[in-house]
Amino acid sequence: MACPLLKLLVLVGILVLQVIYNCKATLIVDEKDEQRKVSEVMWEITYDPPKLDMNMSTVLNVSLRIDHITKEDLNDIRMVQLKSERDHVAWVENGTILLRSAADSSVPYNGTFGVVGNFLGQTNLFVELVRKNGTTERVPSSNLPVIVKRQPRVIDHVFTGSVILLMSILYINFGAALDIVALKQIARRPVGPVIGFMCQFIFMPLLSYGLGHLLFPDNYELQLGLFFTGVSPAGGASNIWTVALGGNLTLSVAMTTISTLAAFGMMPLWIFTLGRRIFERAKLGVPYSRFAYSAIGLVVPISAGLLIQRYCPRFARVLVRILKPMSVILILFIVIFAIITNLYLFELFSWQIIVAGLGLPLLGYCFGFLASHLMRLPLADALAISVETGIQNTGIAIFLLRFALEQPAADLTTVMPVSTAIMTPLPLMLLMVGLRLHARSNQRNEGSLIAKDDTNPSINPSM
């Protein structure tokens, strides 16, 4: 008797589970059908103007027209809203849209709204449905592109022109300072330059790309600014810091020269490959022609410097003597002028930007030193490679971003090389102070040992 009863219970259990499954499937289908009925609104959204291009701290009116509204559409809709994807860029004043309860396809909705330009950037306005059950749904094909820029100023043109002029003069100096004989000698045993090249143009671009994705997953402008900083060649200040820290100056100058020349090929390579993915996600067109003009604009001064070295050696020696001061002046000018003329950049500063600006050079220093140590290079060479890896030519990054990108992308991306330029010297200053304190401590210890030896009574060997 127990066995048939058990079979009956199992059969009943299976039937109950089957009924529950069928009911659940029916509810899911009904829910999907209901959602489909609500989501399939055949509205035609029209904006006037079709695109907003505005300045910061301004308000522009936009007219909105919604056609093909039916009574059925309003059965489950409690409210319609005009919203912005990024309120910190631009937002809509009184964006609630009240539709007529007796609306039909012959009575479109017409309304005018004020759009406030809050800060630099790009965003989209869109129409959103609010259902009676509290859920929301975005109406497809209802985007209105909005671009918020800064009001153009004379000082901005002065800054850009000054950077172009100083960069040209600096690269003439680089061409005049190229030591072809020294480069040939280094080429015979290029262990240091090869390590420096790998660190500068393999590790740093990948590091900047990874840091950008980690710290700014949804901010493509900052990703682009950090990436441009990472693919830039070594900065001229690396030679000065190498001397201050006791590194190999000859190796540093050679690596700076090689890095600068290699940048003409490596920067476009990275920008048009890995950097292109950031451009696509940011919905920015890759400015191929402007990058080409920038490369030509840097090659011409170097060629002029080589001609001066060949035909005017006395003048070339003068240019070589002022190379380091010119590098320092350029870096200080760009950083200070960029800060003064673009104080708004500090409104963009966040802990992520500070960490990125400090992390990129700091990790570059550590990786360059570690790679040199693993290859068993002398300490002076390791210091030169470490400094060369971590110090980026932020002037080139700022120049390319300013020249190649349209507003507001040019302004938004500049914040990263400016942050990097400010943070780059901090680890080196701490290291230099630590080395000086360590050297003084050793001198004091040696002095105390000598004094102690002098106070000891001498032993008379005759006794």
Short mmCIF file of all heavy atoms in Angstrom, two decimals, residues 184-207:
data_model
loop_
_atom_site.label_atom_id
_atom_site.label_comp_id
_atom_site.label_asym_id
_atom_site.label_seq_id
_atom_site.Cartn_x
_atom_site.Cartn_y
_atom_site.Cartn_z
N LYS A 184 76.23 57.46 -31.74
CA LYS A 184 76.81 56.26 -32.35
C LYS A 184 77.49 55.38 -31.31
O LYS A 184 77.41 54.15 -31.37
CB LYS A 184 77.82 56.68 -33.43
CG LYS A 184 77.18 57.28 -34.68
CD LYS A 184 78.25 57.66 -35.69
CE LYS A 184 77.61 58.24 -36.95
NZ LYS A 184 78.64 58.64 -37.96
N GLN A 185 78.18 56.02 -30.35
CA GLN A 185 78.83 55.24 -29.29
C GLN A 185 77.81 54.52 -28.42
O GLN A 185 78.01 53.35 -28.06
CB GLN A 185 79.70 56.17 -28.44
CG GLN A 185 80.91 56.74 -29.17
CD GLN A 185 81.70 57.70 -28.32
OE1 GLN A 185 81.26 58.10 -27.23
NE2 GLN A 185 82.88 58.12 -28.82
N ILE A 186 76.72 55.22 -28.09
CA ILE A 186 75.68 54.58 -27.28
C ILE A 186 75.00 53.48 -28.07
O ILE A 186 74.59 52.44 -27.52
CB ILE A 186 74.66 55.64 -26.82
CG1 ILE A 186 75.32 56.59 -25.82
CG2 ILE A 186 73.44 54.99 -26.18
CD1 ILE A 186 74.43 57.73 -25.39
N ALA A 187 74.89 53.66 -29.39
CA ALA A 187 74.24 52.65 -30.23
C ALA A 187 75.03 51.34 -30.26
O ALA A 187 74.47 50.27 -30.51
CB ALA A 187 74.06 53.19 -31.65
N ARG A 188 76.35 51.41 -30.02
CA ARG A 188 77.14 50.19 -30.01
C ARG A 188 76.82 49.30 -28.81
O ARG A 188 76.93 48.07 -28.88
CB ARG A 188 78.63 50.54 -30.01
CG ARG A 188 79.08 51.24 -31.30
CD ARG A 188 80.50 51.76 -31.17
NE ARG A 188 80.90 52.53 -32.35
CZ ARG A 188 82.01 53.25 -32.43
NH1 ARG A 188 82.84 53.31 -31.39
NH2 ARG A 188 82.28 53.93 -33.54
N ARG A 189 76.45 49.93 -27.69
CA ARG A 189 76.05 49.16 -26.50
C ARG A 189 74.82 49.85 -25.87
O ARG A 189 74.91 50.50 -24.84
CB ARG A 189 77.19 49.09 -25.49
CG ARG A 189 76.94 48.07 -24.37
CD ARG A 189 78.15 47.98 -23.44
NE ARG A 189 77.93 46.99 -22.39
CZ ARG A 189 77.27 47.25 -21.26
NH1 ARG A 189 76.81 48.47 -21.03
NH2 ARG A 189 77.09 46.30 -20.36
N PRO A 190 73.68 49.67 -26.50
CA PRO A 190 72.52 50.47 -26.12
C PRO A 190 71.65 49.84 -25.02
O PRO A 190 70.43 49.84 -25.11
CB PRO A 190 71.74 50.55 -27.43
CG PRO A 190 72.02 49.23 -28.09
CD PRO A 190 73.42 48.84 -27.68
N VAL A 191 72.29 49.30 -23.99
CA VAL A 191 71.51 48.66 -22.92
C VAL A 191 70.64 49.69 -22.21
O VAL A 191 69.42 49.51 -22.06
CB VAL A 191 72.44 47.95 -21.92
CG1 VAL A 191 71.61 47.32 -20.79
CG2 VAL A 191 73.26 46.89 -22.62
N GLY A 192 71.27 50.79 -21.76
CA GLY A 192 70.51 51.82 -21.05
C GLY A 192 69.43 52.45 -21.90
O GLY A 192 68.26 52.53 -21.48
N PRO A 193 69.74 52.93 -23.12
CA PRO A 193 68.70 53.52 -23.95
C PRO A 193 67.57 52.55 -24.31
O PRO A 193 66.42 52.97 -24.41
CB PRO A 193 69.47 53.94 -25.21
CG PRO A 193 70.85 54.19 -24.74
CD PRO A 193 71.09 53.16 -23.68
N VAL A 194 67.89 51.27 -24.50
CA VAL A 194 66.84 50.30 -24.82
C VAL A 194 65.89 50.15 -23.64
O VAL A 194 64.66 50.12 -23.80
CB VAL A 194 67.45 48.94 -25.22
CG1 VAL A 194 66.38 47.86 -25.26
CG2 VAL A 194 68.13 49.05 -26.57
N ILE A 195 66.45 50.04 -22.43
CA ILE A 195 65.60 49.95 -21.24
C ILE A 195 64.75 51.22 -21.10
O ILE A 195 63.55 51.15 -20.82
CB ILE A 195 66.46 49.73 -19.98
CG1 ILE A 195 67.18 48.39 -20.06
CG2 ILE A 195 65.60 49.79 -18.72
CD1 ILE A 195 68.16 48.16 -18.91
N GLY A 196 65.41 52.38 -21.29
CA GLY A 196 64.67 53.64 -21.21
C GLY A 196 63.57 53.73 -22.25
O GLY A 196 62.47 54.20 -21.96
N PHE A 197 63.85 53.28 -23.47
CA PHE A 197 62.85 53.31 -24.54
C PHE A 197 61.67 52.41 -24.19
O PHE A 197 60.50 52.81 -24.37
CB PHE A 197 63.48 52.86 -25.85
CG PHE A 197 62.54 52.85 -27.01
CD1 PHE A 197 62.34 54.00 -27.78
CD2 PHE A 197 61.81 51.72 -27.35
CE1 PHE A 197 61.46 54.01 -28.84
CE2 PHE A 197 60.92 51.71 -28.40
CZ PHE A 197 60.75 52.86 -29.15
N MET A 198 61.94 51.20 -23.71
CA MET A 198 60.86 50.28 -23.35
C MET A 198 60.01 50.85 -22.22
O MET A 198 58.77 50.76 -22.25
CB MET A 198 61.44 48.93 -22.94
CG MET A 198 62.22 48.23 -24.04
SD MET A 198 61.17 47.68 -25.41
CE MET A 198 60.28 46.34 -24.62
N CYS A 199 60.68 51.43 -21.22
CA CYS A 199 59.93 52.02 -20.11
C CYS A 199 59.09 53.21 -20.57
O CYS A 199 57.93 53.37 -20.17
CB CYS A 199 60.89 52.47 -19.00
SG CYS A 199 61.76 51.12 -18.17
N GLN A 200 59.69 54.05 -21.44
CA GLN A 200 59.04 55.29 -21.85
C GLN A 200 57.88 55.05 -22.81
O GLN A 200 56.82 55.67 -22.68
CB GLN A 200 60.07 56.20 -22.52
CG GLN A 200 59.56 57.59 -22.87
CD GLN A 200 59.29 58.42 -21.64
OE1 GLN A 200 60.17 58.56 -20.80
NE2 GLN A 200 58.10 58.98 -21.52
N PHE A 201 58.05 54.17 -23.77
CA PHE A 201 57.06 54.05 -24.84
C PHE A 201 56.29 52.74 -24.83
O PHE A 201 55.47 52.51 -25.73
CB PHE A 201 57.74 54.24 -26.20
CG PHE A 201 58.18 55.66 -26.45
CD1 PHE A 201 59.51 55.98 -26.49
CD2 PHE A 201 57.24 56.67 -26.60
CE1 PHE A 201 59.93 57.28 -26.71
CE2 PHE A 201 57.64 57.98 -26.81
CZ PHE A 201 58.99 58.29 -26.87
N ILE A 202 56.55 51.86 -23.87
CA ILE A 202 55.74 50.65 -23.72
C ILE A 202 55.01 50.69 -22.38
O ILE A 202 53.78 50.61 -22.31
CB ILE A 202 56.60 49.37 -23.82
CG1 ILE A 202 57.35 49.34 -25.15
CG2 ILE A 202 55.71 48.14 -23.66
CD1 ILE A 202 56.46 49.26 -26.37
N PHE A 203 55.80 50.84 -21.30
CA PHE A 203 55.19 50.81 -19.97
C PHE A 203 54.33 52.03 -19.70
O PHE A 203 53.18 51.90 -19.24
CB PHE A 203 56.29 50.69 -18.90
CG PHE A 203 55.77 50.78 -17.49
CD1 PHE A 203 55.08 49.72 -16.92
CD2 PHE A 203 55.95 51.93 -16.74
CE1 PHE A 203 54.58 49.81 -15.63
CE2 PHE A 203 55.47 52.03 -15.45
CZ PHE A 203 54.78 50.96 -14.89
N MET A 204 54.84 53.24 -19.96
CA MET A 204 54.11 54.45 -19.61
C MET A 204 52.79 54.60 -20.38
O MET A 204 51.76 54.96 -19.78
CB MET A 204 54.99 55.68 -19.80
CG MET A 204 56.18 55.75 -18.85
SD MET A 204 55.70 55.76 -17.10
CE MET A 204 55.14 57.45 -16.94
N PRO A 205 52.73 54.34 -21.69
CA PRO A 205 51.42 54.40 -22.36
C PRO A 205 50.42 53.40 -21.80
O PRO A 205 49.25 53.72 -21.60
CB PRO A 205 51.77 54.09 -23.82
CG PRO A 205 53.18 54.53 -23.97
CD PRO A 205 53.83 54.19 -22.66
N LEU A 206 50.88 52.15 -21.56
CA LEU A 206 49.97 51.15 -21.00
C LEU A 206 49.53 51.53 -19.58
O LEU A 206 48.37 51.33 -19.20
CB LEU A 206 50.64 49.77 -21.00
CG LEU A 206 50.95 49.17 -22.38
CD1 LEU A 206 51.69 47.85 -22.23
CD2 LEU A 206 49.66 48.97 -23.17
N LEU A 207 50.47 52.08 -18.79
CA LEU A 207 50.13 52.52 -17.44
C LEU A 207 49.10 53.64 -17.46
O LEU A 207 48.12 53.61 -16.70
CB LEU A 207 51.40 52.97 -16.72
CG LEU A 207 51.20 53.60 -15.34
CD1 LEU A 207 50.60 52.59 -14.37
CD2 LEU A 207 52.52 54.15 -14.79
#
